[in-house]
């Protein structure tokens, strides 16, 4: 059961909190999270029993939120006011917060709905609708409903899963005996292959960051070791350059962040047979490489957002 949510603008970070605790000017009544529409494409052969599935399409999700704008939070004091002054003050607070809500719930902006450690992203499909009933719209409260369309219907975790292909192992032990030579305080372990766990319900894209450290890196690539799907960039990274590959559907990009000249788009340097590698559901083995053994200068991290059809708190 969800007792509190927040709605925020992805670009401006403006937000409102809507809770059932009475500690905010926005009180949560109910949420209908909806479910994604599922369409299955099938075919049938003569004398076939049943049908064969050739494709499954997952549609959008349209959550609906119902709540109240109130003029008094738990802990607020009334002060020395007449009843008329008290109701007028509450009415003013309600109107101010309705303006705040109206400004945030803009159909031209991408909004994030956060519940616990999960979130959905989408846009307002109907502007906030306020009740016209005096029982629900008066001097102390105003009921509202708002509907969203989430074009990606999947819940995602706020804290992304980051996998480090490069590890630093501390070799220092106390007490330490200093030798004339050969004192090793730590080692860097570069794993060119790693097992990545995706605990979500579907495969997902990733943000792959490759940093050149201590030397130039020629034509870096990232690949699925089981399917051999690969994304390769025919570009030479100089020491300090950061190659960032985004394989998330709808957000695909390849850029290089250079210390001296900023961002450079290098999407056109992808080889013709490259694909935006996806991280499969469950366990998968992935790796990186570069030409001429220059991969020894790479530091690689992979960040994924696991995606779920539903979450346990609903």
């Amino acid at each position: 059961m969800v007792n509190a949510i927040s709605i925020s603008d992805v670009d401006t970070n403006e937000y409102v909190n809507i809770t059932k605790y009475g500690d905010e000017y926005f009180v949560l009544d109910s949420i209908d999270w909806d479910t994604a529409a599922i369409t299955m494409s099938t075919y049938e052969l003569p004398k076939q029993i049943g049908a064969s599935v050739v494709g499954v399409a997952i549609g959008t999700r349209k959550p609906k939120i119902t709540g109240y704008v109130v003029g008094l939070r738990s802990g607020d004091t009334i002060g020395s006011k007449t009843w008329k002054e008290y109701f007028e003050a509450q009415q003013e607070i309600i109107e101010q917060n309705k303006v705040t809500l109206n400004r945030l719930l803009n159909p031209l902006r991408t909004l994030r709905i956060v519940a616990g450690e999960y979130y959905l992203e989408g846009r307002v499909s109907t502007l906030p609708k306020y009740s016209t009933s005096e029982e629900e719209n008066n001097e102390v409260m105003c009921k509202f409903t708002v509907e969203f369309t989430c074009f990606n219907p999947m819940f995602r975790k706020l804290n992304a899963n980051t996998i480090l292909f490069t590890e630093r192992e501390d070799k220092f032990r106390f007490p330490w005996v200093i030798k004339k030579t050969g004192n090793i305080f730590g080692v860097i372990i570069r794993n060119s292959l790693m097992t990545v766990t995706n605990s979500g319900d579907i495969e997902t894209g990733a943000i792959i960051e490759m940093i050149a450290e201590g030397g130039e890196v020629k034509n870096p690539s990232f690949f699925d070791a089981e399917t051999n799907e690969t994304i390769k960039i025919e570009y030479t990274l100089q020491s300090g350059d950061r190659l960032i590959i985004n394989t998330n559907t709808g957000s695909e990009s390849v850029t290089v962040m250079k210390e001296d000249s900023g961002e450079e788009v290098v999407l056109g340097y992808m080889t013709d047979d490259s694909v935006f590698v996806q991280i499969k559901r469950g366990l998968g083995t992935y790796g990186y490489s570069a030409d001429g053994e220059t991969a020894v200068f790479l530091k690689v991290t992979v960040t994924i957002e696991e995606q779920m059809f539903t979450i346990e708190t609903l």
Side-chain angles (χ1 to χ4, degrees):
M1 185 177 189
V2 175
N3 293 315
I5 63 169
S6 70
I7 304 173
S8 62
D9 186 308
V10 169
D11 296 317
T12 67
N13 293 322
E14 296 175 275
Y15 71 95
V16 296
N17 293 323
I18 308 176
T19 80
K20 291 186 176 182
Y21 306 123
D23 55 344
E24 301 284 348
Y25 287 119
F26 304 97
V27 177
L28 181 62
D29 182 32
S30 63
I31 307 177
D32 178 359
W33 292 105
D34 194 26
T35 56
I38 301 172
T39 303
M40 295 191 180
S41 300
T42 63
Y43 70 89
E44 301 175 12
L45 297 174
K47 299 183 180 180
Q48 178 178 348
I49 298 175
S52 299
V53 178
V54 294
V56 179
I58 308 298
T60 59
R61 182 191 297 266
K62 296 185 177 182
K64 179 180 179 180
I65 297 172
T66 303
Y68 293 87
V69 185
V70 298
L72 191 68
R73 300 172 299 183
S74 59
D76 286 351
T77 56
I78 299 174
S80 301
K81 290 184 174 67
T82 65
W83 281 112
K84 180 181 179 181
E85 292 172 335
Y86 166 66
F87 286 128
E88 288 177 347
Q90 285 205 101
Q91 185 66 42
E92 183 178 354
I93 292 172
I94 290 172
E95 294 303 321
Q96 290 173 350
N97 283 295
K98 285 169 67 176
V99 171
T100 299
L101 194 64
N102 291 337
R103 285 177 56 85
L104 176 65
L105 301 179
N106 184 332
L108 301 179
R109 312 293 295 182
T110 299
L111 302 177
R112 177 174 290 188
I113 308 169
V114 178
E117 60 176 336
Y118 299 94
Y119 73 91
L120 291 169
E121 282 187 354
R123 296 198 177 197
V124 172
S125 52
T126 63
L127 293 172
K129 183 178 180 181
Y130 299 98
S131 175
T132 57
S133 165
E134 188 174 356
E135 293 180 350
E136 299 172 337
N137 187 351
N138 49 53
E139 299 90 344
V140 295
M141 65 180 182
C142 180
K143 186 176 182 180
F144 69 88
T145 58
V146 61
E147 295 183 21
F148 299 81
T149 297
C150 298
F151 303 100
N152 179 351
M154 309 301 290
F155 286 94
R156 288 173 278 178
K157 282 190 174 182
L158 283 172
N159 297 320
N161 183 15
T162 299
I163 300 93
L164 302 176
F165 280 69
T166 305
E167 303 173 77
R168 287 171 171 79
E169 184 176 334
D170 186 11
K171 292 294 184 180
F172 181 84
R173 299 291 184 271
F174 185 83
W176 183 265
V177 178
I178 303 296
K179 299 178 290 185
K180 290 184 178 181
T181 60
N183 292 287
I184 300 175
F185 293 90
V187 296
I188 296 176
I189 303 172
R190 300 184 189 275
N191 301 298
S192 59
L193 287 175
M194 287 281 287
T195 298
V196 177
T197 302
N198 174 8
S199 300
D201 294 333
I202 61 172
E203 70 175 21
T204 186
I207 296 177
I208 304 154
E209 184 178 56
M210 298 180 167
I211 304 176
E213 293 185 332
E216 68 176 24
V217 178
K218 297 179 180 179
N219 305 333
S221 65
F222 182 82
F223 57 89
D224 183 326
E226 297 167 16
T227 65
N228 290 322
E229 290 182 324
T230 302
I231 181 167
K232 183 173 184 177
I233 313 301
E234 292 185 322
Y235 185 96
T236 299
L237 299 174
Q238 303 301 319
S239 182
D241 288 353
R242 295 167 54 227
L243 173 64
I244 302 173
I245 303 170
N246 188 341
T247 72
N248 286 290
T249 302
S251 302
E252 296 91 338
S253 64
V254 185
T255 57
V256 171
M257 301 298 297
K258 305 185 77 68
E259 290 183 319
D260 55 353
S261 58
E263 182 179 284
E264 179 182 355
V265 177
V266 295
L267 189 65
Y269 290 84
M270 288 173 55
T271 59
D272 292 339
D273 58 349
S274 286
V275 297
F276 286 103
V277 177
Q278 300 295 296
I279 307 301
K280 70 184 66 176
R281 180 186 179 193
L283 298 177
T285 304
Y286 302 86
Y288 67 91
S289 65
D291 291 353
E293 298 184 356
T294 58
V296 296
F297 299 117
L298 274 177
K299 175 185 177 183
V300 179
T301 60
V302 175
T303 302
I304 64 172
E305 287 187 317
E306 296 167 339
Q307 303 186 63
M308 294 80 173
F309 284 112
T310 188
I311 55 178
E312 62 272 14
T313 56
L314 299 188

